[in-house]
Amino acid sequence: MLRPVGEPRRIDRAIRRLQGALKGVAARRVRLTWRGGELLTTIHWARDDSFWWAFEPRSAQPDGPSRSIVARHALLLGHAPNAPTKRESITCEINLPRIADRKVAGIIAVDEAGALYLAHSGRMGGTRLGQRKAGFREFLADGVWRPLTWPDGEETEALIVAPLDSPRLTRLLGQFVDTVRHFKAGDPPSARTGLCVEPALVDSASAACDRRLVDGALHEELAKRGLFGGADDLFSLRGERPQPLFALVADGRPDELAMAVGSLSLASARGGPDVRPILVAPAALFDRDDAALQALPFACVRFRWRGARAVFDGLDDALE
């Protein structure tokens, strides 16, 4: 179970940690614009992930009927496939209060193991007319949504944007910016790939974030091979060969592996010769349990991280 971090000093440390972990080339004296405001500041361009970011402190303002004073950090974000100019528009802003506050969309969350996450309530400012508060939740239905328990015991749901200690933090934040951009533009949600057996919620929020990156990379690799068929099932091999069905192990924990193997075994039994089950797992798991994995009655594909991208070994052999 996740809960918001509520101690100001701990939030400040988490913000510094987030700021230090983000990558980007500095662009100075850039004028940022948004509806109702402008700001001259330094931004950082994450070229490979097509966005820029900047942190700005927000002065303490009276908040709510109690008129209590709430100071905030503002993480400003903008879509940027090309190098920033001297004037940029903000795509979205994640406000992070220095106390636990349900009225603010940005959240620093912590799990039972003490791992910290950048999270978002899903409430979006600057949306198009007619877009409901629940619209972003529906738009990003396959995002890493997790329950949060607040200090008063109330439970809400939040999107986990990225673990603060993930080496893929910048890539995950870039995906969030791109998703918000499409949502605010009124675009239809991206079709779910449907490549992998749906996992049970046994994985951590961190593993779930990696799972989305691996699934996306697998989708791209299969698209390169021309292996997509009709729009209804989203994926099928052309010809008479069995249709692949993947189960993905994100971090190699025994319970996650057991669920993946069980899901593939059940799918294979139901689908018979029309289904080709394929297990996708981290290379480190193969290094540890290679003999056991090779003894499984279905093909195995290993992946490793090259920067923030998953690359696969044995994929073509598994598809034959």
Side-chain angles (χ1 to χ4, degrees):
M1 181 65 69
L2 296 167
R3 61 179 178 82
V5 176
E7 303 82 7
R9 289 184 179 178
R10 194 175 181 191
I11 292 176
D12 289 343
R13 288 197 300 269
I15 297 298
R16 290 194 295 270
R17 183 171 169 183
L18 172 61
Q19 190 169 3
L22 285 173
K23 308 301 181 185
V25 179
R28 294 174 173 80
R29 297 190 60 79
V30 175
R31 189 170 299 279
L32 304 181
T33 62
W34 65 95
R35 189 166 57 185
E38 286 191 356
L39 174 68
L40 188 65
T41 189
T42 296
I43 65 176
H44 301 265
W45 181 40
R47 180 184 60 185
D48 293 343
D49 299 305
S50 300
F51 79 102
W52 56 257
W53 60 271
F55 270 101
E56 288 293 326
R58 288 286 187 258
S59 300
Q61 298 290 334
D63 185 70
S66 67
R67 313 304 290 172
S68 59
I69 302 299
V70 178
R72 302 173 182 177
H73 301 271
L75 174 55
L76 311 177
L77 301 160
H79 175 66
N82 302 310
T85 64
K86 287 299 183 180
R87 192 177 186 90
E88 291 288 323
S89 297
I90 292 176
T91 301
C92 58
E93 176 178 335
I94 303 179
N95 284 301
L96 295 162
R98 296 186 69 242
I99 60 173
D101 187 348
R102 281 193 294 274
K103 295 184 286 296
V104 182
I107 305 161
I108 297 295
V110 62
D111 65 16
E112 294 175 350
L116 294 168
Y117 300 87
L118 175 64
H120 194 280
S121 70
R123 295 191 304 273
M124 287 290 162
T127 54
R128 296 165 64 91
L129 185 64
Q131 288 180 327
R132 299 178 292 110
K133 286 185 178 180
F136 188 66
R137 175 65 176 85
E138 297 171 1
F139 186 83
L140 190 58
D142 65 341
V144 182
W145 297 91
R146 291 290 189 272
L148 285 179
T149 301
W150 294 83
D152 61 3
E154 183 171 342
E155 186 175 293
T156 62
E157 190 179 46
L159 173 71
I160 304 302
V161 178
L164 295 195
D165 64 351
S166 172
R168 293 165 285 281
L169 187 151
T170 303
R171 175 63 51 85
L172 291 164
L173 188 55
Q175 286 192 344
F176 174 78
V177 175
D178 194 53
T179 299
V180 173
R181 177 177 69 94
H182 284 293
F183 172 69
K184 289 187 174 182
D187 296 336
S190 300
R192 300 181 68 177
T193 61
L195 294 178
C196 298
V197 175
E198 287 295 322
L201 290 178
V202 297
D203 52 355
S204 67
S206 179
C209 289
D210 278 348
R211 177 183 294 276
R212 296 191 77 240
L213 292 179
V214 178
D215 187 76
L218 179 60
H219 184 279
E220 291 177 10
E221 288 299 321
L222 295 172
K224 290 177 184 177
R225 291 161 171 78
L227 300 181
F228 286 89
D232 289 335
D233 62 353
L234 296 179
F235 174 75
S236 61
L237 279 175
R238 296 187 177 96
E240 301 300 324
R241 290 183 290 177
Q243 177 176 323
L245 181 65
F246 297 88
L248 171 61
V249 179
D251 65 2
R253 292 196 336 271
D255 54 350
E256 186 190 23
L257 176 60
M259 290 295 299
V261 170
S263 297
L264 281 182
S265 298
L266 182 60
S268 181
R270 287 176 175 173
D274 295 328
V275 172
R276 180 169 177 78
I278 300 172
L279 179 71
V280 181
L285 183 61
F286 284 85
D287 294 340
R288 188 184 72 206
D289 298 318
D290 184 66
L293 292 172
Q294 294 302 327
L296 293 173
F298 32 76
C300 296
V301 174
R302 68 186 70 197
F303 74 87
R304 66 185 77 251
W305 294 104
R306 182 177 296 161
R309 180 175 178 82
V311 295
F312 303 93
D313 180 24
L315 180 58
D316 288 321
D317 290 341
L319 292 170
E320 290 182 354

PDB file of all heavy atoms in Angstrom, residues 92-113:
ATOM      1  N   CYS A  92       2.129  20.801 -19.154  1.00  0.00           N
ATOM      2  CA  CYS A  92       1.469  20.507 -17.887  1.00  0.00           C
ATOM      3  C   CYS A  92       2.383  20.927 -16.741  1.00  0.00           C
ATOM      4  O   CYS A  92       3.573  21.194 -16.933  1.00  0.00           O
ATOM      5  CB  CYS A  92       1.096  19.034 -17.761  1.00  0.00           C
ATOM      6  SG  CYS A  92       2.484  17.888 -17.891  1.00  0.00           S
ATOM      7  N   GLU A  93       1.813  20.994 -15.569  1.00  0.00           N
ATOM      8  CA  GLU A  93       2.530  21.399 -14.367  1.00  0.00           C
ATOM      9  C   GLU A  93       2.129  20.458 -13.238  1.00  0.00           C
ATOM     10  O   GLU A  93       0.945  20.237 -13.001  1.00  0.00           O
ATOM     11  CB  GLU A  93       2.166  22.836 -14.018  1.00  0.00           C
ATOM     12  CG  GLU A  93       2.768  23.353 -12.729  1.00  0.00           C
ATOM     13  CD  GLU A  93       2.391  24.809 -12.485  1.00  0.00           C
ATOM     14  OE1 GLU A  93       2.097  25.531 -13.451  1.00  0.00           O
ATOM     15  OE2 GLU A  93       2.379  25.210 -11.294  1.00  0.00           O
ATOM     16  N   ILE A  94       3.120  19.877 -12.583  1.00  0.00           N
ATOM     17  CA  ILE A  94       2.850  19.025 -11.430  1.00  0.00           C
ATOM     18  C   ILE A  94       3.217  19.803 -10.171  1.00  0.00           C
ATOM     19  O   ILE A  94       4.398  20.062  -9.910  1.00  0.00           O
ATOM     20  CB  ILE A  94       3.647  17.698 -11.488  1.00  0.00           C
ATOM     21  CG1 ILE A  94       3.335  16.929 -12.778  1.00  0.00           C
ATOM     22  CG2 ILE A  94       3.324  16.838 -10.273  1.00  0.00           C
ATOM     23  CD1 ILE A  94       4.103  15.631 -12.912  1.00  0.00           C
ATOM     24  N   ASN A  95       2.203  20.234  -9.435  1.00  0.00           N
ATOM     25  CA  ASN A  95       2.432  20.944  -8.184  1.00  0.00           C
ATOM     26  C   ASN A  95       2.625  19.943  -7.056  1.00  0.00           C
ATOM     27  O   ASN A  95       1.822  19.017  -6.894  1.00  0.00           O
ATOM     28  CB  ASN A  95       1.248  21.864  -7.875  1.00  0.00           C
ATOM     29  CG  ASN A  95       1.279  23.109  -8.733  1.00  0.00           C
ATOM     30  OD1 ASN A  95       2.233  23.869  -8.693  1.00  0.00           O
ATOM     31  ND2 ASN A  95       0.240  23.309  -9.529  1.00  0.00           N
ATOM     32  N   LEU A  96       3.672  20.132  -6.292  1.00  0.00           N
ATOM     33  CA  LEU A  96       4.007  19.210  -5.201  1.00  0.00           C
ATOM     34  C   LEU A  96       4.012  19.993  -3.888  1.00  0.00           C
ATOM     35  O   LEU A  96       4.951  20.745  -3.612  1.00  0.00           O
ATOM     36  CB  LEU A  96       5.376  18.577  -5.455  1.00  0.00           C
ATOM     37  CG  LEU A  96       5.442  17.680  -6.698  1.00  0.00           C
ATOM     38  CD1 LEU A  96       6.874  17.458  -7.129  1.00  0.00           C
ATOM     39  CD2 LEU A  96       4.754  16.347  -6.421  1.00  0.00           C
ATOM     40  N   PRO A  97       2.964  19.860  -3.081  1.00  0.00           N
ATOM     41  CA  PRO A  97       2.895  20.613  -1.825  1.00  0.00           C
ATOM     42  C   PRO A  97       3.868  20.068  -0.798  1.00  0.00           C
ATOM     43  O   PRO A  97       4.271  18.901  -0.848  1.00  0.00           O
ATOM     44  CB  PRO A  97       1.444  20.399  -1.376  1.00  0.00           C
ATOM     45  CG  PRO A  97       1.071  19.077  -1.960  1.00  0.00           C
ATOM     46  CD  PRO A  97       1.802  18.986  -3.273  1.00  0.00           C
ATOM     47  N   ARG A  98       4.242  20.893   0.149  1.00  0.00           N
ATOM     48  CA  ARG A  98       5.194  20.497   1.185  1.00  0.00           C
ATOM     49  C   ARG A  98       4.519  19.805   2.355  1.00  0.00           C
ATOM     50  O   ARG A  98       5.159  19.533   3.375  1.00  0.00           O
ATOM     51  CB  ARG A  98       5.981  21.714   1.668  1.00  0.00           C
ATOM     52  CG  ARG A  98       6.847  22.332   0.565  1.00  0.00           C
ATOM     53  CD  ARG A  98       7.738  23.439   1.074  1.00  0.00           C
ATOM     54  NE  ARG A  98       8.798  22.923   1.940  1.00  0.00           N
ATOM     55  CZ  ARG A  98       8.946  23.250   3.217  1.00  0.00           C
ATOM     56  NH1 ARG A  98       8.066  24.052   3.823  1.00  0.00           N
ATOM     57  NH2 ARG A  98       9.949  22.765   3.917  1.00  0.00           N
ATOM     58  N   ILE A  99       3.222  19.515   2.214  1.00  0.00           N
ATOM     59  CA  ILE A  99       2.488  18.688   3.162  1.00  0.00           C
ATOM     60  C   ILE A  99       1.597  17.759   2.348  1.00  0.00           C
ATOM     61  O   ILE A  99       1.410  17.970   1.146  1.00  0.00           O
ATOM     62  CB  ILE A  99       1.615  19.531   4.135  1.00  0.00           C
ATOM     63  CG1 ILE A  99       0.599  20.358   3.337  1.00  0.00           C
ATOM     64  CG2 ILE A  99       2.488  20.417   5.014  1.00  0.00           C
ATOM     65  CD1 ILE A  99      -0.411  21.074   4.197  1.00  0.00           C
ATOM     66  N   ALA A 100       1.038  16.738   2.974  1.00  0.00           N
ATOM     67  CA  ALA A 100       0.091  15.870   2.284  1.00  0.00           C
ATOM     68  C   ALA A 100      -1.208  16.641   2.077  1.00  0.00           C
ATOM     69  O   ALA A 100      -1.836  17.087   3.036  1.00  0.00           O
ATOM     70  CB  ALA A 100      -0.163  14.602   3.106  1.00  0.00           C
ATOM     71  N   ASP A 101      -1.619  16.819   0.817  1.00  0.00           N
ATOM     72  CA  ASP A 101      -2.762  17.670   0.510  1.00  0.00           C
ATOM     73  C   ASP A 101      -3.514  17.078  -0.682  1.00  0.00           C
ATOM     74  O   ASP A 101      -3.020  17.108  -1.811  1.00  0.00           O
ATOM     75  CB  ASP A 101      -2.289  19.089   0.201  1.00  0.00           C
ATOM     76  CG  ASP A 101      -3.435  20.080   0.039  1.00  0.00           C
ATOM     77  OD1 ASP A 101      -4.592  19.643  -0.067  1.00  0.00           O
ATOM     78  OD2 ASP A 101      -3.162  21.287   0.011  1.00  0.00           O
ATOM     79  N   ARG A 102      -4.719  16.560  -0.445  1.00  0.00           N
ATOM     80  CA  ARG A 102      -5.496  15.932  -1.511  1.00  0.00           C
ATOM     81  C   ARG A 102      -5.951  16.922  -2.570  1.00  0.00           C
ATOM     82  O   ARG A 102      -6.322  16.522  -3.674  1.00  0.00           O
ATOM     83  CB  ARG A 102      -6.719  15.218  -0.932  1.00  0.00           C
ATOM     84  CG  ARG A 102      -6.424  13.878  -0.309  1.00  0.00           C
ATOM     85  CD  ARG A 102      -7.704  13.093  -0.057  1.00  0.00           C
ATOM     86  NE  ARG A 102      -8.531  13.732   0.940  1.00  0.00           N
ATOM     87  CZ  ARG A 102      -8.409  13.559   2.254  1.00  0.00           C
ATOM     88  NH1 ARG A 102      -7.445  12.769   2.715  1.00  0.00           N
ATOM     89  NH2 ARG A 102      -9.213  14.149   3.090  1.00  0.00           N
ATOM     90  N   LYS A 103      -5.969  18.210  -2.247  1.00  0.00           N
ATOM     91  CA  LYS A 103      -6.465  19.206  -3.199  1.00  0.00           C
ATOM     92  C   LYS A 103      -5.428  19.559  -4.266  1.00  0.00           C
ATOM     93  O   LYS A 103      -5.729  20.288  -5.207  1.00  0.00           O
ATOM     94  CB  LYS A 103      -6.901  20.466  -2.444  1.00  0.00           C
ATOM     95  CG  LYS A 103      -8.100  20.256  -1.519  1.00  0.00           C
ATOM     96  CD  LYS A 103      -8.553  21.544  -0.879  1.00  0.00           C
ATOM     97  CE  LYS A 103      -7.591  22.004   0.216  1.00  0.00           C
ATOM     98  NZ  LYS A 103      -7.522  21.081   1.354  1.00  0.00           N
ATOM     99  N   VAL A 104      -4.206  19.078  -4.115  1.00  0.00           N
ATOM    100  CA  VAL A 104      -3.134  19.347  -5.077  1.00  0.00           C
ATOM    101  C   VAL A 104      -2.839  18.062  -5.843  1.00  0.00           C
ATOM    102  O   VAL A 104      -2.763  16.979  -5.250  1.00  0.00           O
ATOM    103  CB  VAL A 104      -1.873  19.865  -4.358  1.00  0.00           C
ATOM    104  CG1 VAL A 104      -0.783  20.194  -5.364  1.00  0.00           C
ATOM    105  CG2 VAL A 104      -2.211  21.098  -3.524  1.00  0.00           C
ATOM    106  N   ALA A 105      -2.669  18.183  -7.167  1.00  0.00           N
ATOM    107  CA  ALA A 105      -2.571  16.984  -8.004  1.00  0.00           C
ATOM    108  C   ALA A 105      -1.277  16.212  -7.806  1.00  0.00           C
ATOM    109  O   ALA A 105      -1.248  14.989  -7.867  1.00  0.00           O
ATOM    110  CB  ALA A 105      -2.727  17.368  -9.473  1.00  0.00           C
ATOM    111  N   GLY A 106      -0.159  16.917  -7.575  1.00  0.00           N
ATOM    112  CA  GLY A 106       1.119  16.235  -7.440  1.00  0.00           C
ATOM    113  C   GLY A 106       1.290  15.606  -6.072  1.00  0.00           C
ATOM    114  O   GLY A 106       0.841  16.155  -5.056  1.00  0.00           O
ATOM    115  N   ILE A 107       1.947  14.450  -6.032  1.00  0.00           N
ATOM    116  CA  ILE A 107       2.115  13.703  -4.790  1.00  0.00           C
ATOM    117  C   ILE A 107       3.485  13.045  -4.789  1.00  0.00           C
ATOM    118  O   ILE A 107       3.904  12.456  -5.799  1.00  0.00           O
ATOM    119  CB  ILE A 107       1.043  12.595  -4.654  1.00  0.00           C
ATOM    120  CG1 ILE A 107      -0.375  13.173  -4.766  1.00  0.00           C
ATOM    121  CG2 ILE A 107       1.207  11.827  -3.332  1.00  0.00           C
ATOM    122  CD1 ILE A 107      -1.416  12.123  -5.101  1.00  0.00           C
ATOM    123  N   ILE A 108       4.195  13.149  -3.671  1.00  0.00           N
ATOM    124  CA  ILE A 108       5.339  12.277  -3.413  1.00  0.00           C
ATOM    125  C   ILE A 108       4.816  11.148  -2.536  1.00  0.00           C
ATOM    126  O   ILE A 108       4.330  11.382  -1.428  1.00  0.00           O
ATOM    127  CB  ILE A 108       6.485  13.023  -2.705  1.00  0.00           C
ATOM    128  CG1 ILE A 108       7.039  14.146  -3.584  1.00  0.00           C
ATOM    129  CG2 ILE A 108       7.606  12.042  -2.340  1.00  0.00           C
ATOM    130  CD1 ILE A 108       7.703  13.691  -4.868  1.00  0.00           C
ATOM    131  N   ALA A 109       4.871   9.929  -3.062  1.00  0.00           N
ATOM    132  CA  ALA A 109       4.318   8.771  -2.358  1.00  0.00           C
ATOM    133  C   ALA A 109       5.446   7.842  -1.930  1.00  0.00           C
ATOM    134  O   ALA A 109       6.535   7.850  -2.501  1.00  0.00           O
ATOM    135  CB  ALA A 109       3.328   8.030  -3.255  1.00  0.00           C
ATOM    136  N   VAL A 110       5.161   7.026  -0.929  1.00  0.00           N
ATOM    137  CA  VAL A 110       6.135   6.065  -0.407  1.00  0.00           C
ATOM    138  C   VAL A 110       5.438   4.728  -0.205  1.00  0.00           C
ATOM    139  O   VAL A 110       4.259   4.675   0.168  1.00  0.00           O
ATOM    140  CB  VAL A 110       6.760   6.578   0.914  1.00  0.00           C
ATOM    141  CG1 VAL A 110       5.720   6.753   2.004  1.00  0.00           C
ATOM    142  CG2 VAL A 110       7.897   5.677   1.373  1.00  0.00           C
ATOM    143  N   ASP A 111       6.131   3.626  -0.502  1.00  0.00           N
ATOM    144  CA  ASP A 111       5.539   2.304  -0.274  1.00  0.00           C
ATOM    145  C   ASP A 111       6.049   1.711   1.031  1.00  0.00           C
ATOM    146  O   ASP A 111       6.814   2.348   1.770  1.00  0.00           O
ATOM    147  CB  ASP A 111       5.792   1.369  -1.464  1.00  0.00           C
ATOM    148  CG  ASP A 111       7.268   1.039  -1.681  1.00  0.00           C
ATOM    149  OD1 ASP A 111       8.091   1.262  -0.762  1.00  0.00           O
ATOM    150  OD2 ASP A 111       7.607   0.535  -2.772  1.00  0.00           O
ATOM    151  N   GLU A 112       5.626   0.497   1.318  1.00  0.00           N
ATOM    152  CA  GLU A 112       5.960  -0.140   2.589  1.00  0.00           C
ATOM    153  C   GLU A 112       7.454  -0.400   2.731  1.00  0.00           C
ATOM    154  O   GLU A 112       7.966  -0.501   3.846  1.00  0.00           O
ATOM    155  CB  GLU A 112       5.167  -1.442   2.732  1.00  0.00           C
ATOM    156  CG  GLU A 112       3.658  -1.219   2.839  1.00  0.00           C
ATOM    157  CD  GLU A 112       2.890  -2.521   2.858  1.00  0.00           C
ATOM    158  OE1 GLU A 112       3.503  -3.577   2.593  1.00  0.00           O
ATOM    159  OE2 GLU A 112       1.673  -2.497   3.129  1.00  0.00           O
ATOM    160  N   ALA A 113       8.150  -0.499   1.600  1.00  0.00           N
ATOM    161  CA  ALA A 113       9.595  -0.740   1.639  1.00  0.00           C
ATOM    162  C   ALA A 113      10.396   0.554   1.734  1.00  0.00           C
ATOM    163  O   ALA A 113      11.620   0.512   1.808  1.00  0.00           O
ATOM    164  CB  ALA A 113      10.025  -1.529   0.408  1.00  0.00           C
TER     165      ALA A 113
END
